[in-house]
């Protein structure tokens, strides 16, 4: 293969991630030409409603997968947190890059910490996971939907639409806006989205030439950790319509995974944590899912 084509969304963050993958591939394979194939997805077009109401995060993948099916692109690059738990038939994850900062970012032009927000302050986020954790800490705050790319969200904050917004640290820092972060909302006290901070490379199943090319991008530690997180989420039948969070790290003993299920309406949170063999991340994820169910997560999930 002389040229590898990367399907990507057209947002600034998606283009940064795709170009990052392209640059890494050019280093790995001297002489390989790597081209970006930017496109707009349904998830980018529908900005007036929360994703949970219009089909979920899979809306960010469909057009990119069609491009691969039609051989207009060879791979697609995604924020792994946007990839549904069950990947469409005919596709697989060929590589998971080393993870960036997994924490959420508290961003405000007036307040330096979350606990400085005044009574009834307006906090922008469309994530049910973030809403549940905000509600648990500060039930007095007003939660207001916030959609659009990173630049759009920051512009809305600067225009005074919100007192603060919550975004992913990884995306903010990748676009050079790290100085906008007032405080990190970090695990395990504040639990991020499953696979937050990780970049995934999606390929066609059985495309051995392409899979061989991207294999060198894979970071085994990150791959194990996000596999555990996604196994937990899958066991709970999670999606963007359910406030589920998970964060896994490698320790001297193996893997340690923290999981959370919440209710964005009343701030009820259920937590569980487990450790296990790094060679079996699937079982670690399922163990935490079972722990969450034992703590009452099933009741929350049934309501939702």
């Amino acid at each position: 293969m002389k040229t590898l084509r990367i399907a990507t969304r057209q947002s600034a963050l998606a283009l940064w991630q795709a170009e990052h993958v392209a640059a890494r591939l050019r280093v790995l394979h001297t002489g390989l030409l790597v081209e970006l194939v930017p496109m707009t997805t349904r998830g980018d077009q529908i900005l007036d409603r929360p994703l949970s109401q219009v089909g979920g995060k899979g809306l960010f993948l469909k057009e990119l997968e069609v491009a691969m099916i039609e051989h207009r692109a060879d791979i697609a690059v995604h924020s792994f947190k946007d990839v549904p738990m069950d990947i469409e038939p005919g596709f697989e994850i060929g590589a998971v890059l080393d993870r960036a900062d997994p924490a959420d970012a508290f961003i405000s032009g007036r307040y330096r910490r979350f606990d400085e927000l005044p009574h009834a302050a307006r906090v922008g986020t469309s994530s049910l996971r973030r809403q549940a954790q905000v509600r648990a800490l500060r039930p007095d705050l007003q939660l207001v939907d916030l959609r659009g790319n990173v630049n759009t969200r920051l512009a809305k904050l600067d225009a005074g639409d919100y007192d603060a917004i919550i975004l992913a640290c990884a995306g903010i820092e990748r676009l050079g806006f790290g100085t906008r972060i007032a405080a990190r909302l970090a695990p395990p006290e504040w639990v991020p989205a499953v696979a937050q901070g990780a970049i995934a490379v999606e390929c066609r199943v059985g495309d051995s030439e392409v899979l061989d090319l991207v294999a060198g991008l894979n970071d085994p530690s990150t791959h194990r950790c996000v596999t555990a997180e996604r196994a937990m989420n899958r066991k709970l039948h999670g999606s963007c319509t359910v406030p589920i969070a998970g964060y896994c790290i490698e320790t001297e003993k193996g893997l340690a995974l923290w999981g959370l299920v919440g209710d964005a309406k009343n701030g009820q949170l259920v937590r569980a944590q487990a450790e296990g063999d790094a060679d079996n991340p699937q079982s670690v994820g399922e163990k935490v899912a079972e722990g969450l169910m034992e703590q009452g997560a099933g009741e929350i999930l049934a309501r939702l």
Side-chain angles (χ1 to χ4, degrees):
M1 178 174 286
K2 296 180 179 179
T3 303
L4 185 78
R5 297 159 300 173
I6 301 178
T8 174
R9 295 162 57 201
Q10 291 184 344
S11 73
L13 179 57
L15 290 170
W16 185 98
Q17 293 176 162
E19 187 52 56
H20 178 66
V21 169
R24 293 273 298 270
L25 285 169
R26 294 180 188 115
V27 171
L28 282 173
H29 307 288
T30 304
L32 178 69
L33 297 177
V34 186
E35 298 176 353
L36 268 55
V37 183
M39 56 189 66
T40 301
T41 69
R42 286 282 289 162
D44 298 306
Q45 295 167 354
I46 303 174
L47 298 176
D48 59 344
R49 285 165 287 170
L51 284 175
S52 58
Q53 297 179 8
V54 294
K57 292 181 177 180
L59 292 177
F60 289 129
L61 277 69
K62 186 63 177 178
E63 285 79 4
L64 279 60
E65 290 174 339
V66 169
M68 287 192 284
I69 290 173
E70 296 177 348
H71 290 267
R72 291 181 284 115
D74 304 298
I75 65 174
V77 172
H78 310 293
S79 293
F80 208 175
K81 69 183 181 68
D82 291 337
V83 177
M85 292 307 107
D86 295 313
I87 298 171
E88 286 293 316
F91 299 99
E92 62 180 298
I93 300 301
V96 181
L97 279 66
D98 50 311
R99 193 177 211 164
D101 189 342
D104 277 337
F106 173 79
I107 303 173
S108 174
R110 299 172 60 190
Y111 308 101
R112 299 306 302 168
R113 298 195 314 272
F114 180 83
D115 57 10
E116 289 182 1
L117 288 171
H119 180 81
R122 292 168 57 86
V123 178
T125 175
S126 293
S127 161
L128 296 178
R129 170 190 63 83
R130 289 171 179 150
Q131 289 179 9
Q133 294 184 83
V134 168
R135 190 77 72 195
L137 292 170
R138 290 284 305 274
D140 63 289
L141 297 177
Q142 299 182 63
L143 291 167
V144 187
D145 279 334
L146 176 64
R147 290 287 313 281
N149 59 41
V150 171
N151 299 68
T152 298
R153 297 183 191 198
L154 290 173
K156 289 180 178 179
L157 172 67
D158 294 340
D161 295 353
Y162 310 92
D163 295 297
I165 62 176
I166 302 175
L167 303 176
C169 284
I172 290 290
E173 291 172 342
R174 283 168 177 158
L175 291 178
F177 295 126
T179 57
R180 297 294 305 266
I181 299 174
R184 294 173 69 255
L185 304 173
E189 292 78 18
W190 178 284
V191 190
V194 165
Q196 185 158 300
I199 295 173
V201 179
E202 186 181 17
C203 308
R204 293 182 292 263
V205 167
D207 193 340
S208 58
E209 187 175 13
V210 169
L211 288 166
D212 287 345
L213 285 173
V214 304
L217 298 173
N218 192 63
D219 181 70
S221 176
T222 299
H223 205 155
R224 284 189 289 268
C225 288
V226 297
T227 296
E229 295 167 16
R230 286 171 62 82
M232 177 204 72
N233 204 5
R234 187 178 294 106
K235 182 86 170 176
L236 295 169
H237 304 289
S239 68
C240 68
T241 64
V242 181
I244 294 177
Y247 178 60
C248 182
I249 60 171
E250 286 202 331
T251 69
E252 293 181 356
K253 298 180 179 179
L255 297 179
L257 172 62
W258 292 265
L260 178 149
V261 174
D263 188 325
K265 292 184 178 180
N266 62 21
Q268 179 186 0
L269 301 180
V270 174
R271 298 175 183 265
Q273 188 268 339
E275 297 184 1
D277 189 345
D279 293 329
N280 196 351
Q282 183 84 18
S283 68
V284 179
E286 292 177 354
K287 185 188 298 184
V288 172
E290 291 165 1
L292 288 166
M293 294 298 286
E294 291 172 0
Q295 296 296 321
E299 298 175 7
I300 297 175
L301 297 172
R303 288 201 302 269
L304 300 175

